């Protein structure tokens, strides 16, 4: 069994190419195409998604979504874990967290 390779590098989503169905449900749509290390990568399917929650930074008992995490399969068969860290700013950052072996 091969384990996923840890990457943790920023990716740049290709503009206006996001999963619209996810966005309609209130989640940030996973980028269906993105650039990483000069390579354009296309997502074939979303395998799973989850969220991490954090407490309010101002001391109240409120809790907020910290990250949206997606496991995706790419057109070339790799399994990648992507996440969007919610910063509260207009443009949050997408990160390629891990790359698994080709399926």
């Amino acid at each position: 069994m091969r384990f996923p390779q840890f990457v943790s590098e920023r990716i740049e989503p290709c503009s206006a190419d996001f999963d619209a169905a996810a966005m309609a449900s209130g989640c940030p749509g996973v980028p269906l195409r993105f650039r990483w290390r000069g390579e354009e990568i296309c997502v074939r399917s979303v395998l799973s998604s989850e969220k991490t929650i954090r407490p309010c930074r101002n001391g109240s008992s409120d809790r907020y979504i910290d990250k949206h995490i997606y496991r995706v399969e790419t057109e070339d068969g790799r399994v990648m874990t992507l996440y969007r860290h919610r910063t509260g700013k207009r443009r949050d950052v997408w990160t390629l967290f891990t790359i698994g072996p080709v399926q």
Side-chain angles (χ1 to χ4, degrees), residues 19-55:
D19 180 0
M23 293 174 75
S25 70
C27 293
V30 66
L32 299 176
R33 288 183 313 121
F34 60 90
R35 295 192 69 71
W36 173 63
R37 294 184 179 177
E39 175 186 4
E40 185 171 299
I41 298 169
C42 295
V43 172
R44 177 184 297 151
S45 64
V46 177
L47 303 173
S48 66
S49 66
E50 62 183 278
K51 304 172 205 173
T52 61
I53 307 293
R54 67 167 172 78

Side-chain angles (χ1 to χ4, degrees), residues 12-20 23 29-33 91:
E12 194 61 43
C14 296
S15 62
D17 205 357
F18 288 86
D19 180 0
M23 293 174 75
V30 66
L32 299 176
R33 288 183 313 121
R91 187 172 171 141

